Amino acid sequence: MTTRVWTDIDFERDGKQFGWLYLPHSVTRSGYGNLATAIAVIRNGRGPTALLMAGNHGDEYEGQVVLSRMIRELEPSAIHGRVIIVPTANVAAALAGVRTSPIDEGNLNRAFPGDPNATPTFAMAHYYDSVLFPMADAFIDVHSGGTSMDYLPFASICLSGDPTTDARAKSLLAAFGAPISIVWDAVDLRMAEVAAAKRGVAAVSGEFGGGGTVARGGVAIVRSGIENALRHLGILPANGAKPANSRLMEIPTNDFYVFCPEAGLFEPQAVLGDSVRSSDACGLIHFVDNPAREPVQVRFRADGLVVCRRHPARVERGDCLAHLARDVAA
Ligand code: CA
């Protein structure tokens, strides 16, 4: 099965091109219409290719800001090889400021390897997986906590199980140089970075803020991290700087997550950056519909650093309230 996506971009041409990935999308308003996703290709001769993605989840904004800025600022003369930039990968979600597409409720980061004949989110996942990933030596997918979560900024990788790909991903993660670098254990084959790794692409992702806003610190880490990664790949010239020290952490089991036991109002008792122990207080669930009822005490289930917490106060059973990471033993 081949993609239905078409584009006016020539991926093999030198220079800077800005254009669109057009997915035929026939609706009442526009019978022969297309869903248009922005793409830029900056190329200067043969060399490595980096694919930069944001807006995979539409309400995660730091990457959308940085990659849009890079489209305007990065010139072919500054690079060797090719940089492909897709700043609003799930475009309908990004333009609506929501996590999943309002067209099909599709979560792009749970849609890989995609399907060219399914709804737009799956069709775009298929295009990214079957057309763009095979062009790429490295893939950087910029995330944040979105509307529902807030994160201490970190870069991350998921291990693919292939030693060569994983070694290249670890090198790219170290080169990115975020203050914290995390190796995820929870690998979901439907995620973009995992699909890229399956194709042998060194893939780095990360969470750089959240709460539905643009984290100023996250923007700076994303921009410098991407430039560090491009230097590591030989796409940008080396500047002689040593990679920044990064705190290497892991999220080894589901016990590092805290989930909500019942619906109510969440009062956090720990903040991002706190070091906690198993059974320490995570927060209280209040029942403001029945104020006489005692709140439920929610506790952490592991020792670690609080890197993520729920942002909105209203919660339902099963919501993630927080999660931890721990230092990788030296
Ligand atoms: Ca995300």
Side-chain angles (χ1 to χ4, degrees):
M1 284 187 294
T2 56
T3 184
R4 296 178 200 281
V5 174
W6 58 281
T7 182
D8 37 18
I9 293 285
D10 177 355
F11 290 97
E12 304 306 322
R13 193 205 303 164
D14 276 348
K16 179 147 112 178
Q17 299 172 75
F18 177 77
W20 307 92
L21 305 171
Y22 291 106
L23 175 69
H25 183 55
S26 177
V27 290
T28 301
R29 193 197 61 73
S30 181
Y32 298 157
N34 292 275
L35 190 66
T37 303
I39 183 168
V41 177
I42 300 149
R43 186 181 187 274
N44 184 10
R46 299 175 73 87
T49 293
L51 171 63
L52 312 178
M53 176 178 282
N56 178 335
H57 289 137
D59 61 349
E60 304 177 3
Y61 301 115
E62 292 78 9
Q64 297 182 45
V65 168
V66 171
L67 296 195
S68 297
R69 187 171 284 144
M70 288 185 71
I71 286 174
R72 299 190 301 274
E73 294 181 356
L74 189 62
E75 294 302 330
S77 58
I79 70 163
H80 166 73
R82 182 168 59 176
V83 180
I84 302 173
I85 306 178
V86 182
T88 52
N90 193 344
V91 66
L95 297 187
V98 292
R99 180 175 180 84
T100 56
S101 171
I103 295 173
D104 59 8
E105 286 301 316
N107 179 340
L108 178 59
N109 218 32
R110 305 289 184 277
F112 283 82
D115 179 346
N117 297 320
T119 59
T121 303
F122 286 86
M124 290 309 299
H126 175 266
Y127 178 83
Y128 300 138
D129 183 66
S130 65
V131 179
L132 295 190
F133 289 168
M135 294 184 201
D137 299 287
F139 172 55
I140 298 178
D141 189 23
V142 184
H143 285 255
S144 84
T147 309
S148 70
M149 311 295 299
D150 195 14
Y151 266 103
L152 203 61
F154 61 79
S156 61
I157 58 170
C158 284
L159 297 181
S160 72
D162 175 67
T164 310
T165 304
D166 289 345
R168 290 172 53 231
K170 284 179 180 173
S171 298
L172 191 63
L173 179 69
F176 192 100
I180 296 173
S181 299
I182 288 186
V183 179
W184 291 92
D185 188 65
V187 169
D188 187 325
L189 294 172
R190 301 169 301 169
M191 291 164 58
E193 61 184 296
V194 178
K198 273 192 82 169
R199 288 187 177 275
V201 182
V204 165
S205 185
E207 309 285 352
F208 298 95
T213 187
V214 177
R216 191 169 160 77
V219 165
I221 293 166
V222 170
R223 181 66 188 254
S224 65
I226 288 174
E227 289 177 350
N228 292 339
L230 294 180
R231 278 191 279 273
H232 169 77
L233 294 162
I235 294 175
L236 282 175
N239 65 357
K242 285 208 310 188
N245 278 331
S246 187
R247 182 174 180 183
L248 186 60
M249 307 192 81
E250 63 183 353
I251 303 169
T253 69
N254 199 46
D255 290 342
F256 283 67
Y257 292 78
V258 180
F259 296 103
C260 183
E262 59 181 301
L265 192 156
F266 176 54
E267 178 194 5
Q269 293 171 301
V271 299
L272 294 179
D274 280 356
S275 288
V276 300
R277 308 297 299 262
S278 182
S279 82
D280 279 358
C282 174
L284 296 167
I285 308 296
H286 294 276
F287 306 99
V288 292
D289 60 326
N290 179 11
R293 183 180 168 194
E294 283 295 322
V296 167
Q297 176 71 64
V298 183
R299 297 183 182 281
F300 291 104
R301 300 184 293 153
D303 301 349
L305 180 75
V306 180
V307 293
C308 176
R309 82 161 178 90
R310 180 171 174 83
H311 189 69
R314 294 297 314 187
V315 289
E316 295 181 16
R317 179 177 298 115
D319 285 342
C320 179
L321 299 177
H323 79 77
L324 307 173
R326 74 173 179 202
D327 290 302
V328 172

